Every structure is written in C-alpha cells, then in structure tokens.
Amino acid sequence: MNRRQRANVIAEQDEATAIADRALGAYLGLAIGDSLGATVAHLSAREIALEFGVHSRLIGGGWLGLKPGQVTDDTEMALCVGRALTKAGGWNLRAVCDELAAWLRSAPIDVGHACRRGFRRYIVEGTVQAVATEGHATNGACARNLPVVLACLDRTDLLDRYTLDQCHISHHHPLADAAALTLARMTRALILGHGMAAARTEANALVREHPVFMFKNYRGPCSADIVDTVRMVLCQYFAASDPRACLIATVNQGDDADTSGALVGMLAGATWGAAALPTEWMRRLDRTIAAEIRAQVAALLQIAHVSSTAATA
Ligand SMILES: [Mg+2]
C-alpha cells in the first residue's frame, strides 16, 4: 500500500468513526431528552419556571414518578423497533409489530392512545397497518423511528418505505407521515455529516409542502399533536449551538416534553455526536438502557453496511 492509499484508508476509518459517534449521539440524545423532559411533562413553561427556575438535570419524578435517568415510552418503543431489526438481521415489519405488541403486554409505564390502539389491533387482528385517518395525528410513531434510520443509513431508497411501514402500525395520517419522513431524512443527513444546512433543506421542504409546520419563532403549544411537536423541535433545534442548550430550551417549554426532548435530543446528538453530550447526563442515564442503545447502534450500522454492500454488489 503506498502513502496515498494509506491516507485514504485512514480518512475512511476517521469518517466511519465520526458516523458511528453521531449515530450513537442520536440514540443517546433521544433517551436523554426523553428522561430530561419526562420530569416536566404536562407542566406549562410558567409552572416549570416557578418550580425549577430552569430544569436541567436528570432527576426523574414528574407525573410518572420516574427514577433519575429513567426513560419513557418514546425510548422504550425505539428500543423495540431496534431489537426487532437486530434480531431479524434487517427489515421485518412483523418482527417490529411483535416487539411492540410484547412491550404493550408488559404494562409499560406510559403509552399513547394511538400506539395502544395500533398494537392492540395487531394483537387481535394480526394486521400491520392502521386505517388511514384525517384531522389530528399524534407523535408516537415518529418518536420511535430512529432505528429504521440507522439500519437504512446508506439506503435512501429504503428509508422512506420502511419509515412509513413502521409508522403505519399505529399512525396513518398525511401530516404524521410527512413529519416522520422529514425527521428521518434530517437525522440521516446529520449522521452522515452533511450538517445543519442539509437538515434545514429537509425542514424547509416540509414547510413548503405543508405550511402548517411553519416553525420559525414558534412559541407553543407543544402538545402530543405531531404538528405542535415538530414545530417546537425544529424551532429549538435550528436556534441552538450545542446539545445541552438545545435540550434545556426545548424541555422547559413543557407539555409533551418527553417526546419533544427525545426528538430534539436525537437531532442534537446526530449533529454534535455522543462525545459532545454532557457527562452529567450520560452518567445519570439508566445504565441498562444506555448499554442496549450502544449494542443496537453497532448492530444497526452493521445492517446498514451489509444492505448497502448488497445493493452495490
Ligand atoms: Mg413519553
């Protein structure tokens, strides 16, 4: 191997290490944002300010009475999706449904209405797709989609299809679809190192197609409605310059703060990487959850690599 070839190999290894760090950052950021936000979920920004000043620590509590560093349904459902993909060695919609159904049977600490309805329908009828709806849609399916992004990192052609299939288990709505696709594409671009500008292009495309997602200067509410959630998450994410500030600003808006925290944490982690996540939060995050996240990230990136190698072979 000559000097130039050696330099190329080193550059490729550096690139792979950076991608793995951002992938891990996205997943740990999701869990940290979930745990941080859960403490102040269902409170208003004013109530949070009165009780905490600024809420910035992984202390648990909140309406679910969590232990410090404990996560909620957002992270638990993402882990179900990731578990299904890693066990199956790739995409398998029924395996995803089976994991989510098993999770529902385990009496989770929290579960949204649409998710409960979707997983129950699968258990009773065996169908993998919810009936399409209009009107409002919630944020549950979008919040658990990160493992699909990691498994499809090198395959944009598969990312959209699998994201929609995954979401339609419980949420089948044009705005929920558009939001999940946008966040999936943004997260993918960020993990691959294309930066915030590439993510902005995706977010702007969402607003052009569905102006209801206009996020500039969004002040709330931040309910479980997918439109409210995504407007808050995008507004806070694009205003931030580091993951800590990004997560704190978001969860202190309250309402569905565990899910908005999870999604903004995912984007922040995908942007700045796991190494940039505050040590005080990393130390407090539930150890079993953090260990499963690390194992899943490695396995999902391997699936992505295998699938891209097969596609180009
Ligand atoms: Mg939650």
Side-chain angles (χ1 to χ4, degrees):
M1 196 185 288
N2 63 32
R3 188 184 293 178
R4 191 170 169 178
Q5 285 168 326
R6 231 180 358 253
N8 283 343
V9 168
I10 291 169
E12 271 175 32
Q13 285 169 346
D14 287 351
E15 175 72 3
T17 305
I19 287 173
D21 182 61
R22 288 190 292 265
L24 181 62
Y27 218 146
L28 290 172
L30 177 94
I32 286 170
D34 178 7
S35 182
L36 186 71
T39 303
V40 292
H42 301 306
L43 298 179
S44 68
R46 192 176 149 70
E47 286 167 335
I48 297 168
L50 282 171
E51 191 174 336
F52 297 89
V54 176
H55 168 57
S56 65
R57 294 185 301 136
L58 259 61
I59 52 172
W63 74 289
L64 293 170
L66 300 174
K67 296 183 198 121
Q70 190 178 346
V71 297
T72 76
D73 52 343
D74 306 272
T75 308
E76 287 175 358
M77 288 195 296
L79 287 169
C80 288
V81 176
R83 219 172 286 141
L85 301 185
T86 52
K87 278 190 202 163
W91 178 248
N92 184 323
L93 184 56
R94 287 216 171 258
V96 174
C97 291
D98 285 338
E99 286 289 342
L100 292 167
W103 174 76
L104 183 66
R105 287 196 188 100
S106 75
I109 192 162
D110 188 25
V111 51
H113 294 303
C115 292
R116 182 189 296 278
R117 203 166 46 235
F119 308 158
R120 264 203 191 141
R121 187 211 63 249
Y122 175 72
I123 291 169
V124 174
E125 299 173 12
T127 51
V128 297
Q129 192 174 95
V131 174
T133 54
E134 294 292 329
H136 293 283
T138 47
N139 54 25
C142 180
R144 63 172 186 254
N145 196 52
L146 176 61
V148 176
V149 177
L150 299 183
C152 296
L153 214 48
D154 295 343
R155 294 292 304 270
T156 35
D157 53 333
L158 300 178
L159 178 61
D160 287 7
R161 204 174 94 208
Y162 294 168
T163 292
L164 291 180
D165 283 353
Q166 186 287 110
C167 290
H168 288 173
I169 298 169
S170 56
H171 293 66
H172 194 168
H173 183 283
L175 294 178
D177 288 355
L181 287 172
T182 299
L183 285 185
R185 291 171 189 157
M186 285 175 68
T187 308
R188 176 183 176 275
L190 292 167
I191 291 173
L192 290 176
H194 302 164
M196 222 186 230
R200 185 89 196 202
T201 303
E202 297 291 351
N204 288 346
L206 172 70
V207 175
R208 255 199 319 279
E209 199 181 336
H210 300 283
V212 70
F213 284 104
M214 180 78 77
F215 58 87
K216 202 174 168 204
N217 300 324
Y218 185 67
R219 294 277 172 267
C222 183
S223 73
D225 184 286
I226 188 67
V227 175
D228 289 354
T229 306
V230 166
R231 293 178 80 190
M232 178 60 73
V233 164
L234 295 180
C235 177
Q236 297 296 342
Y237 169 67
F238 287 114
S241 54
D242 69 81
R244 191 171 190 278
C246 189
L247 267 91
I248 289 174
T250 305
V251 302
N252 278 274
Q253 300 296 318
D255 285 355
D256 196 8
D258 47 332
T259 304
S260 60
L263 288 172
V264 92
M266 174 182 80
L267 294 176
T271 307
W272 289 290
L277 293 172
T279 322
E280 74 207 75
W281 290 346
M282 294 285 279
R283 256 196 243 123
R284 275 288 177 108
L285 180 64
D286 182 304
R287 290 199 178 177
T288 310
I289 297 288
E292 185 169 7
I293 286 174
R294 286 179 191 280
Q296 280 198 9
V297 168
L300 291 166
L301 292 182
Q302 182 61 27
I303 288 171
H305 180 67
V306 169
S307 118
S308 75
T309 312
T312 52

